[in-house]
Each structure stands twice: as structure tokens, then as C-alpha cells.
Amino acid sequence: MSDRLEGADLVRAAACLVVLGHHLSQRMDWSVRLGPMEWMRVFVQLGGFGVAMFFVLSGFLLSRPFWQALDRNEPLPSLRTYAMRRAARILPGFWLALTVTFALTITAFGNAPTAALVGRYVAGLLLVADWHWLTLFPVEVNGPLWSISFEVTSYALLPLGFIALFALAPRLGGGWRARLAWVGVIAAALALHILFTRAFPPDNHSRGWDYGLIGGAKFWMPDFNPFGFFAMFAIGALAGAAQVRLARWRAPVFDLLAGLALLAVLALLWWQSRQDNTESYGLLEIPYLFPWFQFAVGAMLALMPSALRLSAIADNAAIRFLARISFGIYVWHYLVLELAHLWWFPSLGQGGMRNPLTFAQACATVLGISVAIATISYYAMEAPVIRWARRLERRSSAGTPTLSPAAG
């Protein structure tokens, strides 16, 4: 089985562009006619859908070695290796972006280093910012970093689900019975989501985006919580389960099925772009049209590797490059956007851009700098740390079941 999964890079690159386009589109004044930039309006309501795509994709990729081991009646893959890979891939880039943003918040943006600001930063460093609205946004001027702690919590919860599944393996075996049992993991996540929303509702004092990031966090929570996002992640894991079973086949019918899944994703995004509801709460008030959007993305991921023509189109050099540096774009672009507003484009505040030419210049500047930083970050720091972790992994895991490279 190839370590490269056609369609995965496409989803990763698309998710990155959706988030970036959303944050740029927020800077336009849409009360005026914008001529050639009107097409950007489609991104206004789509930001969080990029986050949802990342969660489904991560669950899809990280679950596959567990499903493969389960189907082969092998032991649970090394959780030490799993943790090392996740730490090597996420922590260096995230901690650097978090720390640089925190320093610039105090210096360039003039925020006082209050105990609350420092506490939020520390919660971000410790990857626990997702458990309370006070810390949900670990720093000012780089809002997208809120999702990293949610993703790390999903990294921790995923093996717990598989530990339970492997314990049941003597009764269930592999195959579709094990996949059906994973639905129970999703149901458990939804039950915990309900308990969280009922147990920890924020008060209404200073609640809402008019009160800054903290007010916005109170507005999001408790519907935004680790268990609801893990449910998205677990749907991705279910898609990984399906892909492992389908991997032996490649046929034209999968082009049709994967194409329909892709059309479903695009249709949901287009429909949402016409709404006036950024969070798009779905089942149980979980955001981003849960679970329909997540199932559509998961279906596309599960089917695309078995397609013939469509998989080749989805796997090209440009998409692979953008996917490779997408994490860096995600964690740096908003800080770049705020610095561009501070230093070069005074009208680049929320809803401040009225001139399409100036907006195009600002977009090109933000995109170019973000791609440059992300490229340097990946090749100078992220990739060397990943290689170091793999060497350490090989030395310490001789004879121990471990993870396939595709899970990294």
C-alpha cells in the first residue's frame, strides 16, 4: 500500500486556502461595490470549515495504522512513537509562532503583559487552552492558534478509543464489525459534548465579539469544546477505517463516487457562503454543519485513493508543496495580516478595505510573506525536527509494532 494517499494533500491545501481567504475577506468593506474582488465574498462565512477539514483529515491519517494493525490481528501500534511523531510535527512550529506572537503583542502592538495575558500564553504552551473560554485564544493578534489545543486533545483521545477497540478485538475481530464499534466512540464523544455544554455554560457578561477575543470565546463556548471537535476527528478516523478496507481496489467507479463526495463538499461550502452564520451550528450545536460536512470530507478522503483519473488530478506538485507548508501558513498568516495592517495598510482593519486595488496589493503581500515564512519554517525547523524524531524512533522501537510513514 502506498504511503501517499491521493486526495489528502488536496484537502490539506484547500483547508489552508479556505482559512486564509476567510481572514482576508473579513477585511473588505462589503457595503460598497468592489468590482473584480467580489468573488472573495464567498470566503466571508467559510473560515471554520477549513478548521473542520483539518480535523477530519488528521483523524483520517492518524487512524490508519491502528486500523491496519487491527485488521491484521497485530498488537496496538506504539503509542510512544505516535506521541513522538505528533509532538515533532506540531510543537516546534506552534510554539515558535505562539512565542513570537506573544512578544509582538507586547512590543509592536502595545498590550500590557498582564497576568491574564501571560496565563493565556502559558495555557497555549501547555496545550490546554481549549478547556476554558479565558484561555481559548492563547494570544492576541493571532486568533487561528485557538484550534491547536483542540487538535492536541483529539490526538490524546484517539488512542483511548483504539485501546478500547483493541481490547474488544477478540470478540469483534477486524473488518466491518470493528468499524461499526467505532461509531460507539463517536457516540461517546457526542455524549461528553452534551455533558460539557450543560455543565460549563459561560455567563452573559461581556459575551460576544464586540468584547474582543475573550468575549468571542465566551460566545463560542460551550458549543466549541474538545469533545465536539473530537467527534469531527473521529469521523475522519471512520473514513480512515473505510479507506483501509477499500485500498485493495482501484476502479473508475471510485472516480464517480469520489467526484460526488467532492461535489457534496463544494455544495455545502457554497450554501454556507450564502448564509449569515459563520459558525454554522449543526447537530447538537456542534459547529460547521456537523456531521454532514465532516462526512462529505471523510467520504472524499476514503474514496479518492481508489479513483483513477481523479486521484491523479488531486495529486500534483503545486498541491503537494502547498500541503507541505500548510501548517506554517496556518499559524503565521494572521500575525502577518495584523502586521501588514499595522505597518503598511492602515485600511486593512476589519471591514476597512474599500479599494479593490489596495486590497489586492494587501492580499499579495500577506500571501507572499506567509508562504515565505511557512517555507522557511518547514525546511529549516519542522522537517529537521521530524527527521530527528524518526531517527530516534528507529533506534528505540526495534521489534516493536509502530506506525507507517503516512501517519506522520
Side-chain angles (χ1 to χ4, degrees), residues 133 150 192-202 207 217-229 281 284-287:
W133 54 265
F150 280 84
L192 290 169
H193 165 79
I194 293 171
L195 290 175
F196 189 97
T197 58
R198 293 180 179 177
F200 303 106
R207 188 181 188 190
K218 291 183 76 172
F219 178 75
W220 272 0
M221 282 191 133
D223 296 318
F224 279 60
N225 67 70
F227 302 113
F229 277 83
Y281 293 110
L284 301 177
E285 298 302 309
I286 297 175

Side-chain angles (χ1 to χ4, degrees), residues 39-53:
W39 65 271
M40 281 290 293
R41 191 187 294 268
V42 73
F43 288 103
V44 172
Q45 303 295 335
L46 296 184
F49 283 82
V51 174
M53 292 165 73

Side-chain angles (χ1 to χ4, degrees), residues 20 85 119 125 143 178 238 252 262 278 317 355 361 376:
L20 178 60
R85 289 194 180 185
L125 280 178
L238 189 61
L262 176 59
T278 303
N355 186 311
Q361 292 171 341
I376 294 169

Side-chain angles (χ1 to χ4, degrees), residues 150-192:
F150 280 84
E151 186 154 0
V152 170
T153 297
S154 290
Y155 294 163
L157 293 176
L158 182 74
L160 296 180
F162 276 108
I163 288 171
L165 212 57
F166 274 76
L168 294 172
R171 296 183 179 181
L172 293 174
W176 294 109
R177 293 178 66 185
R179 273 77 176 161
L180 184 60
W182 187 258
V183 176
V185 174
I186 299 174
L190 297 180
L192 290 169

